[in-house]
Amino acid sequence: MFLGKALKLCPNLMTVPYEFEEYEAASNFLYRILIEKTPYVEVVSCDEAFIDIKDLVSAQNELEIQEIIKSLRAHVFHTIGCTVSAGIGPNKLVARMATRSAKPNGQFLCLKMDDILKYIKKQPVTDLPSIGRSTANKLDSKGFKTCQDVLKMPKSEITSLLGQKSGENSLQLLSRYRLKRLYFESREEKHLC
């Protein structure tokens, strides 16, 4: 909600000013910690990133993966005082959705294909990246509330409901849960200032 609307609803609302410099410093510390662990860090925003730790584990040892992430989260907390929620998955879609299940200040692992499919099917369509309020409302109006509902939809029905491009994008997005790896668009090295 925007501040103006919040103030109209609650005229006595007290706000706390942003401290952009501190936020930026904490963000830079966070990314330095991640980069110390693995060079494969994709920054999504000032407090969100994808990291690829496959080079740090033997095969897909879930206990080892959990311990690495637990250690990273603890390191971030002890260094900058910020808690971290971590979703662990074989690709960006699963990792991002698993992060929602990890909040607040937890971690959620979903690596096995059978577990992934069960997990994805139960999630509300609103948990999918790029499914905004308008698209969610259209899907909801036809009784499609979960990802399983959308996965069962014939392509013609979803494109009719959402339009050709949005319908195909939604189906393509949902099909990404099958990807085995976390793919980075670019492995080009970037430096923090």
Side-chain angles (χ1 to χ4, degrees), residues 73-130:
R73 292 176 54 240
H75 185 52
V76 169
F77 182 75
H78 293 302
T79 304
I80 58 176
C82 293
T83 60
V84 175
S85 300
I88 307 160
N91 58 56
K92 292 177 188 177
L93 175 65
V94 176
R96 176 170 269 172
M97 293 179 81
T99 300
R100 288 185 184 246
S101 296
K103 292 182 185 242
N105 191 28
Q107 60 190 59
F108 186 85
L109 181 134
C110 196
L111 286 177
K112 295 178 182 158
M113 200 48 67
D114 288 344
D115 295 339
I116 292 169
L117 186 54
K118 288 176 196 165
Y119 174 73
I120 293 279
K121 284 180 173 183
K122 292 189 290 186
Q123 301 311 302
V125 291
T126 52
D127 279 5
L128 286 169
S130 81

Side-chain angles (χ1 to χ4, degrees), residues 62-82:
E62 291 186 10
L63 288 174
E64 192 178 358
I65 292 168
Q66 291 274 30
E67 283 305 312
I68 289 169
I69 299 303
K70 183 178 176 183
S71 169
L72 260 174
R73 292 176 54 240
H75 185 52
V76 169
F77 182 75
H78 293 302
T79 304
I80 58 176
C82 293

